[in-house]
Amino acid sequence: MNAPPIIGIQNLSRQSEDGVPLLSPTQLDVFPGNRLGIVGESGSGKTLLLRSLAALDPIQSGELRFHGRAVHGNQVPPYRASVVYLPQRPVLFEGTVESNLQLPFQLKSNADRQYDQRRIESWLEALGRNATFLSKNQENLSGGEMQIVALLRAIQIEPQVLLLDEPTAALDAGLTTSVERLVDCWFNESKQQAAFVWITHSMNQAERVCDTLYLMDSGRLRLHISNQEAD
């Protein structure tokens, strides 16, 4: 890679209150254009690692960097506007799909961005849905539809890095395909040469949506294979 990494962690480690290692010292760089997959069982440390990349958990040891600069203090809010974390079970607020999509633009960190209904409708069209979906109340959404709304809410602010925490683990095959397609649409349309990190239990899914794969086991991260190199 000639370009510098967008985000990176150096010697990141974490342990429980009683001293049990949860994450071994870990290095990971995320470059523009990366489609990184991290595969591991429950309890392997995948979510701990992703939440550290999202600056959602305090770093006990090591360093998180954004475009070469350490992230801490008042740099965290703008960092989170550029590096967006999508949990497995998203939270939506009362109201319609559209009102939930408009919420991020009320934040100070997104003051220079505007809600673009046409763009949202184009993504919905790619998923086989029309604009009437925007008027649905969040109380009437299925779990899969909630995940789609949360994903739309994340990608519309054009993050530089999208962090996906098993976003399809509870979805059927059809909705899983919809989520994968939506991430692919955003990635290909990105004007910032974005990147994503996708954690999953499924090696098949990781090989399908990612270019470079890592395995996570007992808090240890190791490179598995690059699909591009395998070709």
Side-chain angles (χ1 to χ4, degrees), residues 6-23:
I6 303 172
I7 59 176
I9 49 174
Q10 297 294 323
N11 296 316
L12 180 75
S13 63
R14 191 173 184 85
Q15 61 184 23
S16 66
E17 292 182 357
D18 53 359
V20 176
L22 301 174
L23 281 177

Side-chain angles (χ1 to χ4, degrees), residues 50-191:
L50 209 66
R51 287 181 61 86
S52 296
L53 284 171
L56 292 174
D57 291 338
I59 292 178
Q60 292 180 338
S61 179
E63 189 173 57
L64 170 66
R65 302 180 71 84
F66 181 56
H67 293 290
R69 300 185 64 180
V71 177
H72 50 73
N74 60 10
Q75 298 165 346
V76 171
Y79 174 80
R80 289 179 182 160
S82 296
V83 179
V84 177
Y85 174 79
L86 186 71
Q88 181 179 338
R89 295 178 178 85
V91 175
L92 299 184
F93 299 94
E94 291 184 3
T96 65
V97 168
E98 187 161 42
S99 66
N100 271 272
L101 295 177
Q102 291 171 337
L103 277 174
F105 300 97
Q106 299 175 20
L107 301 176
K108 184 177 179 180
S109 57
N110 295 321
D112 60 339
R113 299 172 170 134
Q114 292 184 333
Y115 174 66
D116 187 343
Q117 183 175 333
R118 289 186 178 182
R119 192 178 191 194
I120 294 294
E121 289 178 358
S122 72
W123 282 330
L124 287 175
E125 183 178 354
L127 301 180
R129 288 172 167 80
N130 58 39
T132 61
F133 182 71
L134 296 174
S135 63
K136 290 189 69 171
N137 193 285
Q138 61 88 19
E139 294 180 348
N140 300 322
L141 299 177
S142 68
E145 288 174 329
M146 291 178 66
Q147 188 64 277
I148 287 173
V149 175
L151 181 53
L152 287 169
R153 188 172 59 188
I155 63 177
Q156 68 175 343
I157 63 172
E158 299 185 359
Q160 294 182 46
V161 180
L162 185 63
L163 305 174
L164 300 137
D165 191 353
E166 302 196 56
T168 64
L171 306 187
D172 62 26
L175 285 168
T176 292
T177 298
S178 292
V179 169
E180 292 177 359
R181 183 183 300 133
L182 187 53
V183 172
D184 191 61
C185 284
W186 159 77
F187 184 84
N188 291 329
E189 292 174 7
S190 174
K191 299 176 182 178

